[in-house]
Amino acid sequence: MSSLADVDPQIAELVAAEERRQADTVKLIPSENYVSKAVLEATGTVLTNKYSEGYPGKRYYEGQQVIDQIETLAIERAKALFGVGHANVQPYSGSPANLAIYLAFLNPGDTVMGMGLPFGGHLTHGWSVSATGKWFSPVRYGVREDTGRIDMDEVRALALEHRPKLIFCGGTAIPRTIDFPAFAEIAREVGAVLAADIAHIAGLVAGGAHPSPVGHADVISTTTHKTLRGPRGAMLMASDDEHAKALNKAVFPGLQGGPHNHTTAAIAVALREASGDDFKAYAHQVVTNAKALAEELSSRGFSLVSGGTDNHLILIDLTSKGVAGKPAAQALDRAGLETNYNTVPFDPRKPFDPSGLRIGTPSVTSRGMGEAEMRQIGAWMDEVVTAVSKGDAEDVIARVHAEVSELTGTFPVPGLS
Ligand SMILES: *Cc1c(COP(=O)(O)O)cnc(C)c1O
């Protein structure tokens, strides 16, 4: 860091402050993780200096002797890890990756079906404020109010009624297993392309802790920076040659220019890490930890959407605790427990001040925490939220913060020395 500190001491100090903040807090945000030192190193390389529009062997710039090898390694590792025939590692992030799917298979105005945002879907699955909701005709499915789970009969009925050309499954706040075969059957019945968006669960899929969409979905999109524990980026995968060709054309030249080669290298590193036995153990521990945390919270009177979790994520409805999501998240953050407030299905409150909290275990598991720490975290959350509901949380926040600091001190953040 010495040259950064010389050139720009302000940014250097802020980076150092963020390192300290990440080390000192228990991060429960389910879409985040800590990358390894190797992934960080690959990200900060001279590969950022190179333009390489096109694909390996077919570029629009000279000097690709090295970049072609790096991108090919990333592609081959993605294909091997997920068991797919084709992979595109160039999308800048999850949202542009999903937009590429629209460009590949739809015309403006065509119908797309996805999970509604308030039920756990992503903006890019046709939500109204997103380009995907403005330029296409969205149809939305949700979850049942009594079970908190997707109702596949409702999905099928909507698909038969609206005949979407594209169906998305997967989302950002779904605590349960996605039934890829059931979605595939519905997509086949109406002649739609099925896109499995595994942004949140890619690491669990890679590690064998969640069923794979391969063999069911026509295309698979994922970010690389959530449970997969790579740099900020994304991938699109397919097994059918025609789907793969359409996706490649959509990413470049359809949507993007030059790929971010430093990110491609870091994705390759993350994919190598994710193919090891350690990562399989990690993926399973993420789920074991989430179940332990969910049980602790349930036993303390927290109401969980769908009653629990099958994956890395827990969605808490705080209504029974008499506190809204935002004040709870803010108090927890001051106690060193980082969460995010979130809408819950059928939320009577407004999206910017909703009833829920969304938490998850990818980050704490990367630090090496296990079930005992999850029970402790559940107890702390209960103490803080209960104190907030009584309107007198300052002492509790201060005490919990001190205890959290003790815990984080014994579980170093991967990637930080
Ligand atoms: C995070 C996420 C995305 C978008 O990824 P960005 O990298 O934030 O653009 C897309 N789909 C799902 C399901 C996600 O969870």
Side-chain angles (χ1 to χ4, degrees):
M1 281 307 249
S2 64
S3 51
L4 176 59
D6 292 341
V7 172
D8 193 336
Q10 273 176 301
I11 288 293
E13 178 41 47
L14 289 170
V15 172
E18 176 63 10
E19 284 184 0
R20 289 193 296 276
R21 193 195 65 79
Q22 291 193 14
D24 292 347
T25 54
V26 166
K27 179 160 74 176
L28 295 166
I29 295 174
S31 50
E32 295 184 5
N33 214 325
Y34 308 104
V35 298
S36 68
K37 194 144 200 144
V39 168
L40 270 185
E41 263 178 44
T43 306
T45 57
V46 295
L47 302 175
T48 195
N49 295 340
K50 188 67 197 132
Y51 246 106
S52 44
E53 283 179 352
Y55 291 101
K58 279 174 281 177
R59 305 282 193 187
Y60 292 80
Y61 291 75
E62 293 311 311
Q64 309 298 342
Q65 295 86 343
V66 178
I67 299 297
D68 274 5
Q69 295 181 60
I70 289 170
E71 188 170 336
T72 302
L73 265 177
I75 290 168
E76 292 306 321
R77 287 175 184 172
K79 284 160 60 178
L81 181 62
F82 288 95
V84 290
H86 300 274
N88 184 313
V89 297
Q90 294 193 4
Y92 299 141
S93 213
S95 301
N98 283 349
L99 197 55
I101 298 175
Y102 289 80
L103 186 59
F105 303 109
L106 267 58
N107 289 309
D110 282 348
T111 302
V112 56
M113 189 163 91
M115 196 176 204
L117 189 75
F119 293 101
H122 192 258
L123 286 161
T124 56
H125 298 181
W127 193 242
S128 46
V129 296
S130 153
T132 63
K134 291 181 193 278
W135 297 342
F136 302 91
S137 304
V139 178
R140 289 148 195 148
Y141 58 88
V143 296
R144 287 177 61 108
E145 191 157 13
D146 54 346
T147 61
R149 295 176 189 241
I150 296 170
D151 179 345
M152 294 310 298
D153 292 333
E154 185 210 0
V155 175
R156 178 164 179 266
L158 282 171
L160 286 169
E161 184 187 345
H162 297 281
R163 297 267 156 188
K165 276 176 93 173
L166 172 65
I167 298 176
F168 270 100
C169 59
T172 65
I174 305 174
R176 295 296 179 177
T177 303
I178 308 292
D179 189 347
F180 298 119
F183 273 101
E185 201 179 311
I186 293 166
R188 220 175 302 124
E189 196 175 348
V190 301
V193 170
L194 177 63
D197 182 348
I198 61 168
H200 259 259
I201 55 173
L204 305 185
V205 171
H210 186 289
S212 169
V214 177
H216 306 294
D218 299 300
V219 301
I220 299 166
S221 104
T222 184
T223 56
T224 48
H225 48 270
K226 297 178 184 174
T227 50
L228 196 55
R229 224 160 56 176
R232 304 199 83 79
M235 306 195 295
L236 287 165
M237 297 179 277
S239 287
D240 176 90
D241 292 346
E242 292 306 313
H243 289 142
K245 248 187 243 165
L247 289 172
N248 278 355
K249 259 178 70 182
V251 172
F252 177 85
L255 276 180
Q256 299 190 170
H260 295 178
N261 297 313
H262 54 305
T263 300
T264 305
I267 289 173
V269 174
L271 291 168
R272 185 190 172 110
E273 290 174 345
S275 66
D277 287 339
D278 285 0
F279 194 86
K280 285 191 186 74
Y282 164 70
H284 284 93
Q285 189 63 44
V286 166
V287 176
T288 303
N289 279 350
K291 286 181 188 291
L293 181 50
E295 267 167 35
E296 184 66 32
L297 291 169
S298 288
S299 76
R300 291 171 173 277
F302 283 89
S303 159
L304 310 185
V305 173
S306 85
T309 181
D310 298 326
N311 55 27
H312 64 300
L313 185 146
I314 300 165
L315 193 54
I316 305 170
D317 183 346
L318 289 171
T319 309
S320 62
K321 289 280 184 182
V323 186
K326 201 171 181 176
Q330 285 169 343
L332 288 165
D333 190 50
R334 289 174 55 223
L337 300 164
E338 205 183 345
T339 66
N340 71 272
Y341 61 86
N342 214 90
T343 44
V344 295
F346 308 99
D347 203 326
R349 303 178 64 91
K350 299 230 160 52
F352 200 62
D353 184 22
S355 301
L357 274 183
R358 190 184 71 147
I359 60 172
T361 52
S363 296
V364 289
T365 309
S366 286
R367 290 178 87 148
M369 295 183 194
E371 290 113 290
E373 287 75 32
M374 298 309 111
R375 285 190 284 274
Q376 178 61 71
I377 290 167
W380 283 330
M381 289 183 69
D382 187 24
E383 288 179 63
V384 172
V385 168
T386 303
V388 171
S389 76
K390 290 181 181 149
D392 179 22
E394 290 317 301
D395 292 350
V396 173
I397 288 172
R399 178 177 52 74
V400 169
H401 198 184
E403 291 173 13
V404 167
S405 293
E406 241 174 81
L407 179 77
T408 53
T410 53
F411 290 94
V413 169
L416 290 183
S417 28

Short mmCIF file of all heavy atoms in Angstrom, two decimals, residues 263-319:
data_model
loop_
_atom_site.label_atom_id
_atom_site.label_comp_id
_atom_site.label_asym_id
_atom_site.label_seq_id
_atom_site.Cartn_x
_atom_site.Cartn_y
_atom_site.Cartn_z
N THR A 263 -10.35 -8.61 -13.41
CA THR A 263 -11.47 -9.34 -12.78
C THR A 263 -11.53 -10.77 -13.31
O THR A 263 -11.76 -11.71 -12.54
CB THR A 263 -12.79 -8.60 -13.06
OG1 THR A 263 -12.71 -7.29 -12.51
CG2 THR A 263 -13.97 -9.33 -12.44
N THR A 264 -11.33 -10.93 -14.62
CA THR A 264 -11.34 -12.28 -15.20
C THR A 264 -10.30 -13.17 -14.50
O THR A 264 -10.58 -14.33 -14.17
CB THR A 264 -11.03 -12.21 -16.71
OG1 THR A 264 -11.95 -11.33 -17.33
CG2 THR A 264 -11.13 -13.59 -17.35
N ALA A 265 -9.11 -12.62 -14.28
CA ALA A 265 -8.05 -13.40 -13.61
C ALA A 265 -8.49 -13.76 -12.19
O ALA A 265 -8.29 -14.91 -11.74
CB ALA A 265 -6.76 -12.60 -13.57
N ALA A 266 -9.09 -12.81 -11.50
CA ALA A 266 -9.52 -13.08 -10.13
C ALA A 266 -10.68 -14.09 -10.11
O ALA A 266 -10.78 -14.91 -9.19
CB ALA A 266 -9.94 -11.77 -9.45
N ILE A 267 -11.54 -14.04 -11.12
CA ILE A 267 -12.60 -15.06 -11.22
C ILE A 267 -11.96 -16.44 -11.40
O ILE A 267 -12.37 -17.41 -10.76
CB ILE A 267 -13.56 -14.74 -12.40
CG1 ILE A 267 -14.43 -13.52 -12.07
CG2 ILE A 267 -14.45 -15.95 -12.72
CD1 ILE A 267 -15.31 -13.03 -13.24
N ALA A 268 -10.94 -16.51 -12.26
CA ALA A 268 -10.25 -17.80 -12.46
C ALA A 268 -9.69 -18.32 -11.14
O ALA A 268 -9.82 -19.52 -10.83
CB ALA A 268 -9.13 -17.64 -13.50
N VAL A 269 -9.11 -17.44 -10.35
CA VAL A 269 -8.54 -17.85 -9.06
C VAL A 269 -9.66 -18.36 -8.13
O VAL A 269 -9.53 -19.42 -7.50
CB VAL A 269 -7.78 -16.68 -8.39
CG1 VAL A 269 -7.32 -17.07 -6.99
CG2 VAL A 269 -6.60 -16.24 -9.25
N ALA A 270 -10.75 -17.60 -8.08
CA ALA A 270 -11.87 -18.00 -7.20
C ALA A 270 -12.44 -19.35 -7.63
O ALA A 270 -12.80 -20.18 -6.79
CB ALA A 270 -12.96 -16.93 -7.22
N LEU A 271 -12.52 -19.57 -8.93
CA LEU A 271 -13.06 -20.85 -9.43
C LEU A 271 -12.13 -22.00 -9.06
O LEU A 271 -12.58 -23.10 -8.74
CB LEU A 271 -13.27 -20.79 -10.95
CG LEU A 271 -14.40 -19.85 -11.41
CD1 LEU A 271 -14.33 -19.64 -12.92
CD2 LEU A 271 -15.77 -20.41 -11.01
N ARG A 272 -10.82 -21.74 -9.11
CA ARG A 272 -9.88 -22.77 -8.69
C ARG A 272 -10.08 -23.08 -7.19
O ARG A 272 -10.14 -24.24 -6.79
CB ARG A 272 -8.45 -22.30 -8.96
CG ARG A 272 -7.41 -23.36 -8.66
CD ARG A 272 -6.00 -22.75 -8.72
NE ARG A 272 -5.03 -23.74 -8.25
CZ ARG A 272 -4.15 -24.35 -9.04
NH1 ARG A 272 -4.09 -24.07 -10.31
NH2 ARG A 272 -3.32 -25.24 -8.51
N GLU A 273 -10.21 -22.03 -6.39
CA GLU A 273 -10.43 -22.23 -4.95
C GLU A 273 -11.74 -23.01 -4.72
O GLU A 273 -11.81 -23.89 -3.86
CB GLU A 273 -10.50 -20.88 -4.23
CG GLU A 273 -9.17 -20.16 -4.15
CD GLU A 273 -9.27 -18.75 -3.57
OE1 GLU A 273 -10.39 -18.20 -3.46
OE2 GLU A 273 -8.22 -18.19 -3.23
N ALA A 274 -12.77 -22.67 -5.51
CA ALA A 274 -14.09 -23.28 -5.30
C ALA A 274 -14.14 -24.74 -5.74
O ALA A 274 -15.11 -25.44 -5.46
CB ALA A 274 -15.16 -22.48 -6.03
N SER A 275 -13.11 -25.19 -6.45
CA SER A 275 -13.12 -26.59 -6.90
C SER A 275 -12.47 -27.52 -5.88
O SER A 275 -12.44 -28.73 -6.06
CB SER A 275 -12.42 -26.71 -8.26
OG SER A 275 -11.06 -26.40 -8.10
N GLY A 276 -11.96 -26.96 -4.79
CA GLY A 276 -11.28 -27.79 -3.79
C GLY A 276 -12.21 -28.34 -2.73
O GLY A 276 -13.35 -27.91 -2.59
N ASP A 277 -11.71 -29.34 -1.99
CA ASP A 277 -12.51 -29.95 -0.92
C ASP A 277 -12.82 -28.96 0.20
O ASP A 277 -13.88 -29.04 0.83
CB ASP A 277 -11.79 -31.17 -0.35
CG ASP A 277 -11.82 -32.34 -1.32
OD1 ASP A 277 -12.70 -32.34 -2.22
OD2 ASP A 277 -10.97 -33.23 -1.20
N ASP A 278 -11.89 -28.05 0.46
CA ASP A 278 -12.12 -27.03 1.50
C ASP A 278 -13.39 -26.23 1.19
O ASP A 278 -14.15 -25.89 2.09
CB ASP A 278 -10.96 -26.02 1.54
CG ASP A 278 -9.74 -26.61 2.20
OD1 ASP A 278 -9.81 -27.79 2.62
OD2 ASP A 278 -8.71 -25.91 2.27
N PHE A 279 -13.58 -25.94 -0.09
CA PHE A 279 -14.73 -25.12 -0.45
C PHE A 279 -16.03 -25.90 -0.30
O PHE A 279 -17.06 -25.35 0.10
CB PHE A 279 -14.60 -24.58 -1.89
CG PHE A 279 -15.58 -23.48 -2.19
CD1 PHE A 279 -15.30 -22.16 -1.87
CD2 PHE A 279 -16.83 -23.76 -2.74
CE1 PHE A 279 -16.22 -21.14 -2.10
CE2 PHE A 279 -17.76 -22.76 -2.98
CZ PHE A 279 -17.44 -21.44 -2.66
N LYS A 280 -15.98 -27.21 -0.62
CA LYS A 280 -17.18 -28.04 -0.40
C LYS A 280 -17.56 -28.00 1.08
O LYS A 280 -18.73 -27.85 1.44
CB LYS A 280 -16.91 -29.50 -0.82
CG LYS A 280 -16.87 -29.69 -2.31
CD LYS A 280 -16.87 -31.20 -2.66
CE LYS A 280 -16.69 -31.37 -4.16
NZ LYS A 280 -15.29 -31.09 -4.60
N ALA A 281 -16.55 -28.15 1.94
CA ALA A 281 -16.81 -28.10 3.38
C ALA A 281 -17.37 -26.73 3.76
O ALA A 281 -18.30 -26.62 4.57
CB ALA A 281 -15.52 -28.40 4.15
N TYR A 282 -16.80 -25.69 3.16
CA TYR A 282 -17.28 -24.32 3.43
C TYR A 282 -18.76 -24.18 3.06
O TYR A 282 -19.57 -23.71 3.87
CB TYR A 282 -16.44 -23.31 2.63
CG TYR A 282 -17.08 -21.94 2.53
CD1 TYR A 282 -17.17 -21.11 3.65
CD2 TYR A 282 -17.63 -21.48 1.33
CE1 TYR A 282 -17.77 -19.87 3.57
CE2 TYR A 282 -18.24 -20.24 1.24
CZ TYR A 282 -18.31 -19.43 2.36
OH TYR A 282 -18.93 -18.22 2.29
N ALA A 283 -19.12 -24.63 1.86
CA ALA A 283 -20.50 -24.48 1.39
C ALA A 283 -21.48 -25.18 2.32
O ALA A 283 -22.54 -24.65 2.65
CB ALA A 283 -20.63 -25.01 -0.04
N HIS A 284 -21.12 -26.39 2.75
CA HIS A 284 -22.00 -27.12 3.66
C HIS A 284 -22.08 -26.45 5.03
O HIS A 284 -23.13 -26.42 5.66
CB HIS A 284 -21.57 -28.59 3.77
CG HIS A 284 -21.96 -29.39 2.55
ND1 HIS A 284 -21.11 -29.57 1.48
CD2 HIS A 284 -23.12 -30.01 2.23
CE1 HIS A 284 -21.74 -30.28 0.54
NE2 HIS A 284 -22.95 -30.56 0.97
N GLN A 285 -20.94 -25.90 5.48
CA GLN A 285 -20.95 -25.22 6.79
C GLN A 285 -21.79 -23.95 6.75
O GLN A 285 -22.43 -23.59 7.74
CB GLN A 285 -19.51 -24.91 7.23
CG GLN A 285 -19.41 -24.41 8.67
CD GLN A 285 -19.86 -25.46 9.70
OE1 GLN A 285 -19.50 -26.63 9.58
NE2 GLN A 285 -20.66 -25.04 10.68
N VAL A 286 -21.81 -23.27 5.59
CA VAL A 286 -22.66 -22.08 5.44
C VAL A 286 -24.11 -22.44 5.76
O VAL A 286 -24.81 -21.74 6.50
CB VAL A 286 -22.55 -21.49 4.01
CG1 VAL A 286 -23.67 -20.49 3.74
CG2 VAL A 286 -21.20 -20.84 3.78
N VAL A 287 -24.56 -23.58 5.22
CA VAL A 287 -25.95 -24.00 5.42
C VAL A 287 -26.16 -24.46 6.87
O VAL A 287 -27.16 -24.10 7.50
CB VAL A 287 -26.33 -25.12 4.41
CG1 VAL A 287 -27.74 -25.63 4.68
CG2 VAL A 287 -26.20 -24.61 2.98
N THR A 288 -25.22 -25.25 7.38
CA THR A 288 -25.32 -25.70 8.78
C THR A 288 -25.40 -24.50 9.72
O THR A 288 -26.21 -24.47 10.65
CB THR A 288 -24.08 -26.57 9.14
OG1 THR A 288 -24.02 -27.65 8.22
CG2 THR A 288 -24.17 -27.10 10.56
N ASN A 289 -24.58 -23.51 9.46
CA ASN A 289 -24.58 -22.30 10.30
C ASN A 289 -25.91 -21.55 10.18
O ASN A 289 -26.44 -21.05 11.18
CB ASN A 289 -23.43 -21.37 9.90
CG ASN A 289 -22.10 -21.81 10.52
OD1 ASN A 289 -22.06 -22.68 11.38
ND2 ASN A 289 -21.02 -21.20 10.06
N ALA A 290 -26.43 -21.44 8.95
CA ALA A 290 -27.69 -20.72 8.77
C ALA A 290 -28.81 -21.42 9.52
O ALA A 290 -29.66 -20.78 10.16
CB ALA A 290 -28.03 -20.60 7.28
N LYS A 291 -28.82 -22.76 9.48
CA LYS A 291 -29.86 -23.50 10.20
C LYS A 291 -29.72 -23.30 11.71
O LYS A 291 -30.72 -23.15 12.43
CB LYS A 291 -29.79 -25.00 9.86
CG LYS A 291 -30.31 -25.32 8.45
CD LYS A 291 -30.23 -26.83 8.19
CE LYS A 291 -30.55 -27.20 6.76
NZ LYS A 291 -31.98 -26.99 6.41
N ALA A 292 -28.48 -23.30 12.21
CA ALA A 292 -28.26 -23.09 13.65
C ALA A 292 -28.71 -21.69 14.07
O ALA A 292 -29.38 -21.53 15.10
CB ALA A 292 -26.77 -23.29 13.97
N LEU A 293 -28.39 -20.69 13.26
CA LEU A 293 -28.80 -19.31 13.57
C LEU A 293 -30.32 -19.18 13.50
O LEU A 293 -30.94 -18.54 14.36
CB LEU A 293 -28.10 -18.34 12.60
CG LEU A 293 -28.36 -16.85 12.76
CD1 LEU A 293 -28.17 -16.39 14.21
CD2 LEU A 293 -27.44 -16.05 11.83
N ALA A 294 -30.92 -19.82 12.49
CA ALA A 294 -32.38 -19.77 12.35
C ALA A 294 -33.06 -20.40 13.56
O ALA A 294 -34.05 -19.87 14.09
CB ALA A 294 -32.81 -20.47 11.07
N GLU A 295 -32.53 -21.53 14.02
CA GLU A 295 -33.13 -22.20 15.19
C GLU A 295 -33.02 -21.33 16.44
O GLU A 295 -33.96 -21.23 17.22
CB GLU A 295 -32.42 -23.55 15.44
CG GLU A 295 -33.12 -24.70 14.76
CD GLU A 295 -32.27 -25.96 14.76
OE1 GLU A 295 -31.54 -26.19 15.75
OE2 GLU A 295 -32.33 -26.70 13.76
N GLU A 296 -31.84 -20.72 16.61
CA GLU A 296 -31.65 -19.87 17.79
C GLU A 296 -32.65 -18.70 17.76
O GLU A 296 -33.28 -18.38 18.78
CB GLU A 296 -30.20 -19.35 17.82
CG GLU A 296 -29.87 -18.52 19.03
CD GLU A 296 -29.91 -19.33 20.33
OE1 GLU A 296 -29.60 -20.55 20.29
OE2 GLU A 296 -30.26 -18.75 21.37
N LEU A 297 -32.79 -18.08 16.59
CA LEU A 297 -33.70 -16.94 16.47
C LEU A 297 -35.15 -17.37 16.70
O LEU A 297 -35.91 -16.70 17.41
CB LEU A 297 -33.55 -16.28 15.09
CG LEU A 297 -32.21 -15.55 14.86
CD1 LEU A 297 -32.05 -15.18 13.39
CD2 LEU A 297 -32.11 -14.29 15.73
N SER A 298 -35.54 -18.50 16.11
CA SER A 298 -36.91 -19.01 16.31
C SER A 298 -37.18 -19.26 17.78
O SER A 298 -38.25 -18.90 18.29
CB SER A 298 -37.11 -20.32 15.55
OG SER A 298 -37.17 -20.10 14.18
N SER A 299 -36.22 -19.88 18.44
CA SER A 299 -36.43 -20.22 19.86
C SER A 299 -36.55 -18.96 20.71
O SER A 299 -37.05 -19.01 21.82
CB SER A 299 -35.29 -21.11 20.37
OG SER A 299 -34.14 -20.33 20.58
N ARG A 300 -36.09 -17.85 20.18
CA ARG A 300 -36.19 -16.58 20.91
C ARG A 300 -37.36 -15.73 20.43
O ARG A 300 -37.40 -14.53 20.67
CB ARG A 300 -34.87 -15.80 20.76
CG ARG A 300 -33.73 -16.45 21.50
CD ARG A 300 -32.40 -15.81 21.19
NE ARG A 300 -31.36 -16.36 22.04
CZ ARG A 300 -31.11 -15.96 23.29
NH1 ARG A 300 -31.80 -14.96 23.81
NH2 ARG A 300 -30.17 -16.54 24.01
N GLY A 301 -38.28 -16.36 19.72
CA GLY A 301 -39.52 -15.67 19.36
C GLY A 301 -39.47 -14.85 18.08
O GLY A 301 -40.38 -14.08 17.79
N PHE A 302 -38.39 -14.98 17.32
CA PHE A 302 -38.35 -14.30 16.01
C PHE A 302 -39.18 -15.11 15.02
O PHE A 302 -39.12 -16.34 15.01
CB PHE A 302 -36.91 -14.20 15.48
CG PHE A 302 -36.09 -13.12 16.12
CD1 PHE A 302 -35.35 -13.39 17.27
CD2 PHE A 302 -36.05 -11.84 15.59
CE1 PHE A 302 -34.58 -12.41 17.87
CE2 PHE A 302 -35.28 -10.85 16.18
CZ PHE A 302 -34.54 -11.13 17.33
N SER A 303 -39.92 -14.40 14.17
CA SER A 303 -40.73 -15.06 13.15
C SER A 303 -39.94 -15.05 11.84
O SER A 303 -39.55 -14.00 11.34
CB SER A 303 -42.05 -14.30 13.04
OG SER A 303 -42.65 -14.58 11.81
N LEU A 304 -39.66 -16.24 11.29
CA LEU A 304 -38.87 -16.35 10.07
C LEU A 304 -39.77 -16.66 8.89
O LEU A 304 -40.64 -17.53 8.97
CB LEU A 304 -37.82 -17.46 10.22
CG LEU A 304 -36.96 -17.42 11.49
CD1 LEU A 304 -35.89 -18.52 11.43
CD2 LEU A 304 -36.31 -16.05 11.66
N VAL A 305 -39.57 -15.93 7.78
CA VAL A 305 -40.36 -16.19 6.59
C VAL A 305 -40.09 -17.62 6.12
O VAL A 305 -38.93 -18.03 6.03
CB VAL A 305 -40.01 -15.17 5.46
CG1 VAL A 305 -40.69 -15.54 4.16
CG2 VAL A 305 -40.39 -13.76 5.90
N SER A 306 -41.14 -18.37 5.89
CA SER A 306 -41.12 -19.78 5.51
C SER A 306 -40.72 -20.69 6.68
O SER A 306 -40.57 -21.89 6.52
CB SER A 306 -40.19 -20.05 4.30
OG SER A 306 -38.85 -20.22 4.72
N GLY A 307 -40.53 -20.11 7.85
CA GLY A 307 -40.27 -20.91 9.05
C GLY A 307 -38.83 -21.31 9.27
O GLY A 307 -38.50 -21.91 10.28
N GLY A 308 -37.94 -20.99 8.34
CA GLY A 308 -36.54 -21.37 8.54
C GLY A 308 -35.74 -21.17 7.27
O GLY A 308 -36.02 -20.26 6.48
N THR A 309 -34.75 -22.01 7.04
CA THR A 309 -33.91 -21.86 5.86
C THR A 309 -33.37 -23.21 5.38
O THR A 309 -33.16 -24.11 6.18
CB THR A 309 -32.72 -20.91 6.14
OG1 THR A 309 -31.93 -20.77 4.96
CG2 THR A 309 -31.83 -21.45 7.27
N ASP A 310 -33.17 -23.28 4.04
CA ASP A 310 -32.47 -24.42 3.43
C ASP A 310 -31.09 -24.01 2.94
O ASP A 310 -30.33 -24.85 2.45
CB ASP A 310 -33.20 -24.90 2.15
CG ASP A 310 -34.60 -25.40 2.41
OD1 ASP A 310 -34.82 -25.97 3.49
OD2 ASP A 310 -35.46 -25.22 1.53
N ASN A 311 -30.80 -22.70 2.98
CA ASN A 311 -29.57 -22.25 2.32
C ASN A 311 -28.77 -21.34 3.24
O ASN A 311 -28.62 -21.64 4.41
CB ASN A 311 -29.91 -21.61 0.96
CG ASN A 311 -30.93 -20.48 1.08
OD1 ASN A 311 -31.04 -19.83 2.12
ND2 ASN A 311 -31.67 -20.23 0.01
N HIS A 312 -28.25 -20.25 2.72
CA HIS A 312 -27.36 -19.36 3.46
C HIS A 312 -28.10 -18.18 4.07
O HIS A 312 -27.49 -17.35 4.71
CB HIS A 312 -26.32 -18.80 2.48
CG HIS A 312 -26.96 -17.96 1.42
ND1 HIS A 312 -27.91 -18.46 0.56
CD2 HIS A 312 -26.84 -16.63 1.12
CE1 HIS A 312 -28.34 -17.49 -0.23
NE2 HIS A 312 -27.71 -16.37 0.08
N LEU A 313 -29.42 -18.08 3.82
CA LEU A 313 -30.15 -16.83 4.03
C LEU A 313 -31.34 -17.02 4.96
O LEU A 313 -32.03 -18.03 4.90
CB LEU A 313 -30.61 -16.34 2.65
CG LEU A 313 -31.30 -15.01 2.52
CD1 LEU A 313 -30.90 -14.37 1.18
CD2 LEU A 313 -32.80 -15.11 2.58
N ILE A 314 -31.57 -16.00 5.79
CA ILE A 314 -32.71 -16.00 6.70
C ILE A 314 -33.43 -14.67 6.55
O ILE A 314 -32.78 -13.62 6.55
CB ILE A 314 -32.23 -16.16 8.17
CG1 ILE A 314 -31.47 -17.48 8.36
CG2 ILE A 314 -33.39 -16.05 9.15
CD1 ILE A 314 -30.65 -17.54 9.65
N LEU A 315 -34.73 -14.73 6.39
CA LEU A 315 -35.53 -13.51 6.28
C LEU A 315 -36.40 -13.44 7.53
O LEU A 315 -37.23 -14.33 7.77
CB LEU A 315 -36.37 -13.57 5.00
CG LEU A 315 -37.05 -12.30 4.53
CD1 LEU A 315 -36.06 -11.15 4.37
CD2 LEU A 315 -37.76 -12.56 3.20
N ILE A 316 -36.18 -12.39 8.33
CA ILE A 316 -36.87 -12.26 9.62
C ILE A 316 -38.00 -11.24 9.47
O ILE A 316 -37.78 -10.15 8.96
CB ILE A 316 -35.90 -11.75 10.70
CG1 ILE A 316 -34.66 -12.67 10.80
CG2 ILE A 316 -36.60 -11.64 12.05
CD1 ILE A 316 -33.56 -12.08 11.68
N ASP A 317 -39.19 -11.62 9.93
CA ASP A 317 -40.30 -10.67 10.03
C ASP A 317 -40.35 -10.18 11.48
O ASP A 317 -40.66 -10.96 12.38
CB ASP A 317 -41.61 -11.36 9.65
CG ASP A 317 -42.78 -10.39 9.66
OD1 ASP A 317 -42.64 -9.28 10.20
OD2 ASP A 317 -43.85 -10.76 9.13
N LEU A 318 -40.01 -8.91 11.67
CA LEU A 318 -39.87 -8.39 13.04
C LEU A 318 -41.18 -7.94 13.66
O LEU A 318 -41.19 -7.46 14.80
CB LEU A 318 -38.90 -7.19 13.03
CG LEU A 318 -37.42 -7.52 12.80
CD1 LEU A 318 -36.63 -6.23 12.59
CD2 LEU A 318 -36.84 -8.30 13.97
N THR A 319 -42.28 -8.09 12.92
CA THR A 319 -43.56 -7.59 13.42
C THR A 319 -43.86 -8.08 14.84
O THR A 319 -44.26 -7.30 15.71
CB THR A 319 -44.70 -8.02 12.47
OG1 THR A 319 -44.33 -7.65 11.13
CG2 THR A 319 -46.00 -7.33 12.82
#
